[in-house]
Amino acid sequence: MIKPSNIKEIRRYSLLFAAVYMISYITRVNYGAIISEMELSTGYARSLLSVSLTGSFITYGIGQVVSGVCGDKFSPKKLVLLGLSVTVAMNALLPFCNNPYIMIAVWCVNGFAQSFMWPPLVRLMTELFSEKDYKKGATLVSIGGSIGTILVYLISPLIIAAFSWKAVFIFSALCGLVMIFVWQKYCCELEVSSAKCEKKEHSHAAASQILVGGLMLPIILAIIFQGMLKDGVTTWMPSYISETYEISNLISILSGVILPVFGIICVQAASKIYIKYLKNPLICAGAFFFGAALSAGALCLFNGKNSMLSVVLSALLTGCIHGVNFILTSMLPPFFKKYGNVSTVSGLLNACTYIGSAVSTYGIALLSENSGWGVTLITWLIIASAGAVISFLCGRPWKNKMMD
């Protein structure tokens, strides 16, 4: 392994990692982005179609743990390559599925394959970059995911208008195929040194005590809450806008572009606020949870009154949650570098995000169908408020245990 020796090489690797993460989003959020169009075209119930998303979040969460452990033991480059290859195959296969139950199986496999992206990338960045460069690189990689989401929401309506919803998955598979060749050519190998592992083996017990101790349990709950909002709101906002304001599905899908744009802004804001001012990741996460709660409260107040205002407030809500996600899943794992299990911790924390995603994606479908969007919006407010309280309460204990 040759570490990057100058700014240009560090930027090149950061852009490569961001590109991989962008493609992972293109091949993952496409289903959720066009689910309202799939519902209209196939005639399948929203709750039935959402089972594929729920299943993929579950397998993604399970895979995060597996990928995290593997990322500390095997070549991260090969793990990412494996994930990309399988996700390309699943995206290419889904348009040919004849019923929703086969779709569920295919998308669950896709979720597991997608899990082999983030933990290996975190380990690559922590090994290749300095602490300062890691924070910049992690910010860029997180933005890459938002850019992937923007591309899906921008391009999907055009592809659907020209062809059909099935062509969105073919396009995604082609993007992934190109990324496979780029990754294989430009990413370095990073093998685990057995001597290094032996040296750090005594620290695993200490890391385990922190992870299962009283401090991490509420943090994990906060991560689950942000996962419920991050993917739940992103997935169902187009349906909320379409049903509440009687706007066509294609226009409501296109309105989803504004969510990841705010996500990019908030990730950059979270990075700067964390690095320059707050420095404590839990306090920073609590501040952005509070911003999400304010946005959800305003969304409740102005529900049904103005479509553009609802889109902007939804974007503010998800943007703040993207800031929370960035802090809790990107900035916490490096604290465990001294224990030699950054990838494992990264996988575990990201898995918790998708526990929340699995619960909310299916739960919001049922809640909106049975109780209406008003009750759903109040639920978002309660979740964001709970996340803020938990994060603020954990701020001082985290500082005392992990930062001193």
Side-chain angles (χ1 to χ4, degrees), residues 35-46 48-49 100 165:
I35 193 170
S36 56
E37 179 64 24
M38 293 171 67
E39 179 185 1
L40 183 65
S41 299
T42 63
Y44 300 136
R46 177 192 307 166
L48 179 59
L49 286 172
W165 64 266

Side-chain angles (χ1 to χ4, degrees), residues 80-94:
V80 172
L81 181 63
L82 174 64
L84 278 172
S85 300
V86 176
T87 202
V88 165
M90 293 303 103
N91 272 265
L93 181 60
L94 190 128

Side-chain angles (χ1 to χ4, degrees), residues 18 21-26 29 140-150 260 264 322:
Y21 205 51
M22 178 187 73
I23 296 300
S24 78
Y25 266 66
I26 289 175
V29 304
L140 185 60
V141 171
S142 296
I143 290 173
S146 295
I147 292 174
T149 304
I150 290 171
I264 290 174
H322 271 84

Side-chain angles (χ1 to χ4, degrees), residues 67-377:
S67 172
V69 173
C70 290
D72 285 320
K73 299 179 181 297
F74 304 106
S75 164
K77 177 180 179 179
K78 292 177 181 176
L79 292 174
V80 172
L81 181 63
L82 174 64
L84 278 172
S85 300
V86 176
T87 202
V88 165
M90 293 303 103
N91 272 265
L93 181 60
L94 190 128
F96 301 99
C97 296
N98 295 322
N99 65 64
Y101 301 103
I102 298 177
M103 288 182 183
I104 292 170
V106 168
W107 215 241
C108 283
V109 174
N110 187 62
F112 191 80
Q114 288 280 336
S115 68
F116 283 79
M117 311 283 186
W118 179 248
L121 285 177
V122 170
R123 180 166 170 248
L124 277 166
M125 287 189 290
T126 54
E127 294 289 343
L128 292 173
F129 300 160
S130 66
E131 181 180 348
K132 179 180 178 182
D133 290 328
Y134 172 85
K135 291 175 181 177
K136 292 180 179 179
T139 302
L140 185 60
V141 171
S142 296
I143 290 173
S146 295
I147 292 174
T149 304
I150 290 171
L151 290 175
V152 168
Y153 277 90
L154 274 177
I155 297 173
S156 292
L158 301 177
I159 295 176
I160 292 171
F163 303 101
S164 72
W165 64 266
K166 295 182 178 181
V168 173
F169 294 100
I170 300 299
F171 169 79
S172 301
L174 291 174
C175 290
L177 189 61
V178 172
M179 192 67 239
I180 287 174
F181 290 105
V182 174
W183 179 257
Q184 189 66 5
K185 182 176 180 180
Y186 292 107
C187 184
C188 68
E189 282 287 1
L190 181 63
E191 301 294 347
V192 177
S193 167
S194 57
K196 187 177 181 181
C197 287
E198 289 174 7
K199 183 179 179 181
K200 292 185 176 180
E201 197 170 286
H202 71 280
S203 298
H204 288 313
S208 299
Q209 289 177 359
I210 294 171
L211 284 172
V212 301
L215 176 59
M216 284 305 295
L217 291 179
I219 293 175
I220 285 173
L221 182 60
I223 291 174
I224 291 173
F225 284 161
Q226 67 85 19
M228 294 174 71
L229 293 173
K230 176 175 171 286
D231 288 293
V233 178
T234 299
T235 298
W236 293 115
M237 192 277 283
S239 295
Y240 161 62
I241 296 299
S242 176
E243 294 174 14
T244 303
Y245 298 102
E246 298 182 352
I247 296 173
S248 73
N249 277 323
L250 292 183
I251 295 175
S252 64
I253 290 173
L254 194 60
S255 70
V257 172
I258 196 172
L259 271 66
V261 169
F262 274 73
I264 290 174
I265 295 170
C266 288
V267 165
Q268 290 180 314
S271 178
K272 290 182 179 179
I273 291 171
Y274 170 63
I275 294 171
K276 292 186 177 181
Y277 303 106
L278 296 180
K279 302 187 184 300
N280 186 319
L282 273 303
I283 298 299
C284 189
F288 278 85
F289 258 130
F290 183 69
L294 291 178
S295 302
L299 198 56
C300 292
L301 289 175
F302 295 102
N303 179 35
K305 296 181 179 179
N306 184 282
S307 61
M308 197 60 219
L309 180 60
S310 291
V311 171
V312 171
L313 290 172
S314 298
L316 284 171
L317 169 58
T318 56
C320 289
I321 291 300
H322 271 84
V324 174
N325 177 262
F326 168 73
I327 294 297
L328 295 183
T329 63
S330 298
M331 296 296 107
L332 291 189
F335 283 94
F336 292 84
K337 184 178 180 179
K338 58 186 175 182
Y339 302 121
N341 52 8
V342 169
S343 181
T344 300
V345 173
S346 175
L348 175 63
L349 298 183
N350 218 27
C352 294
T353 292
Y354 288 91
I355 291 174
S357 299
V359 171
S360 69
T361 304
Y362 187 68
I364 288 174
L366 287 178
L367 193 62
S368 62
E369 281 183 341
N370 297 324
S371 300
W373 285 107
V375 173
T376 303
L377 299 181

